Amino acid sequence: MDVGLIDCHCHLSAVEFCEDIEDVIMRAKEVGINSVISVTEEANDFERVIHLSKSYPGVVAPCLGIHPIQCWGSQEQRSVRLQDLDSALPLFQKYRDEIVAVGEIGLDFTPWYAPHAEHRDEQEAVFRRQLEISKALDLPVNVHSRSAAKVTIAVLKEEGIQQALLHNFAGKPSVAMEGVQAGYFFSFPPAVSRNEQRVKLIKQIPLEHICLETDSPALGPDKQARNEPQNITISCEYIARVKGITPKKVADVTTQNALRLFPKIHRTLKH
């Protein structure tokens, strides 16, 4: 079976997709995407992503997770607190059979979001709690690590995490290689094609540890325009160019990587 491309990290439940989700998914299929792994950021997003997975079975693969930054994009934007997990905990259990991973979870030590040690400590506590949930549910994790790459990988290793995707990774190549040695995967959105900052990183990470993502609706090829899963081909072509290989090779290997990392996708893919 040719399983096509897999977008390993996007936000289909975002408000930006409310009006035309059907068209967005149709355009994704037209470029060869068979599965879209849709993550959450807040507990009030959980039911919507589950609903999408039921509306588009075999296409939308849901993840549940609490992001290190809450109230994203609003005036109340802030670092996560332990109580943000309270309403999420029963939902992890309720939907344990439907979800393919725990995510988006992680650490964001950007100074204006986490200016003090207590912010970072609480983020880490929320992160570790969700890593425990992933182990209890035997699920991989879909991980955010902004200005916190080294700490994020260290925590994953300390917690004994075997299966992790570090999405939109921007840490040092030496830190990435620690993740590679631990068996982790890395993904890059279309925005990497806008500048050459990640060239060294993408060159150094073996293709066998790379997945494709869009992080839609953010991080597209045009900073001003809404990103969507169909732009996965831009990520694919960019990685191919940096590595000096064909886009088909990147597509084939990254899809196999995604199926290894997220084994429950096998169940959702339409034969």
Side-chain angles (χ1 to χ4, degrees):
M1 173 176 79
D2 180 12
V3 293
L5 296 161
I6 297 174
D7 184 347
C8 285
H9 185 107
C10 73
H11 301 260
L12 284 184
S13 57
V15 292
E16 288 89 340
F17 293 127
C18 279
E19 300 296 316
D20 63 343
I21 188 68
E22 185 90 30
D23 294 336
V24 168
I25 287 172
M26 186 184 72
R27 286 191 289 271
K29 287 179 175 176
E30 283 170 358
V31 300
I33 291 175
N34 261 12
S35 189
V36 177
I37 297 177
S38 191
V39 299
T40 64
E41 294 180 340
E42 302 178 21
N44 59 16
D45 207 18
F46 283 18
E47 300 282 0
R48 175 149 171 74
V49 82
I50 293 293
H51 174 73
L52 283 171
S53 72
K54 289 181 170 157
S55 301
Y56 302 98
V59 180
V60 178
C63 296
L64 301 183
I66 300 295
H67 192 283
I69 305 300
Q70 293 293 285
C71 309
W72 195 264
S74 74
Q75 302 239 298
E76 291 79 49
Q77 200 162 291
R78 58 171 174 78
S79 190
V80 72
R81 300 173 190 137
L82 275 164
Q83 58 260 42
D84 294 317
L85 266 178
D86 292 346
S87 56
L89 294 175
L91 298 175
F92 284 112
Q93 293 301 328
K94 181 178 179 182
Y95 296 116
R96 61 184 299 160
D97 294 332
E98 276 110 309
I99 60 176
V100 301
V102 172
E104 177 174 1
I105 63 174
L107 300 172
D108 193 319
F109 292 170
T110 312
W112 49 92
Y113 297 138
H116 305 298
E118 56 262 34
H119 293 124
R120 297 189 284 276
D121 290 346
E122 193 153 20
Q123 278 192 25
E124 191 176 316
V126 170
F127 185 31
R128 286 183 188 272
R129 181 76 187 89
Q130 293 184 99
L131 293 177
E132 286 168 16
I133 290 166
S134 77
K135 288 186 287 186
L137 300 179
D138 193 23
L139 288 172
V141 286
N142 210 319
V143 180
H144 173 100
S145 59
R146 187 156 60 170
S147 302
K150 197 168 181 63
V151 182
T152 303
I153 287 176
V155 170
L156 288 167
K157 287 163 72 175
E158 279 170 31
E159 292 289 341
I161 298 299
Q162 307 283 312
Q163 297 282 78
L165 177 73
L166 288 126
H167 106 93
N168 187 31
F169 191 79
K172 293 177 181 171
S174 59
V175 176
M177 294 317 288
E178 287 176 35
V180 166
Q181 284 158 11
Y184 303 152
F185 293 83
F186 298 81
S187 58
F188 302 95
V192 295
S193 66
R194 284 196 243 124
N195 59 53
E196 301 296 300
Q197 286 176 341
R198 313 277 177 94
V199 167
K200 192 176 171 191
L201 185 62
I202 291 169
K203 270 187 180 166
Q204 198 154 336
I205 298 172
L207 186 60
E208 291 69 29
H209 287 266
I210 291 177
C211 291
L212 300 180
E213 69 155 301
T214 60
D215 201 24
S216 322
L219 300 184
D222 176 357
K223 207 171 185 178
Q224 310 309 319
R226 180 187 75 172
N227 188 19
E228 57 180 82
Q230 69 167 340
N231 290 328
I232 197 94
T233 54
I234 295 167
S235 294
C236 183
E237 286 159 10
Y238 183 76
I239 291 165
R241 182 160 66 80
V242 168
K243 286 194 168 289
I245 55 179
T246 65
K248 184 178 187 315
K249 173 81 169 169
V250 173
D252 291 347
V253 175
T254 56
T255 292
Q256 290 310 311
N257 293 345
L259 291 171
R260 280 209 323 278
L261 176 57
F262 303 105
K264 283 176 80 174
I265 295 180
H266 279 288
R267 276 198 350 224
T268 61
L269 282 171
K270 286 177 177 170
H271 289 254

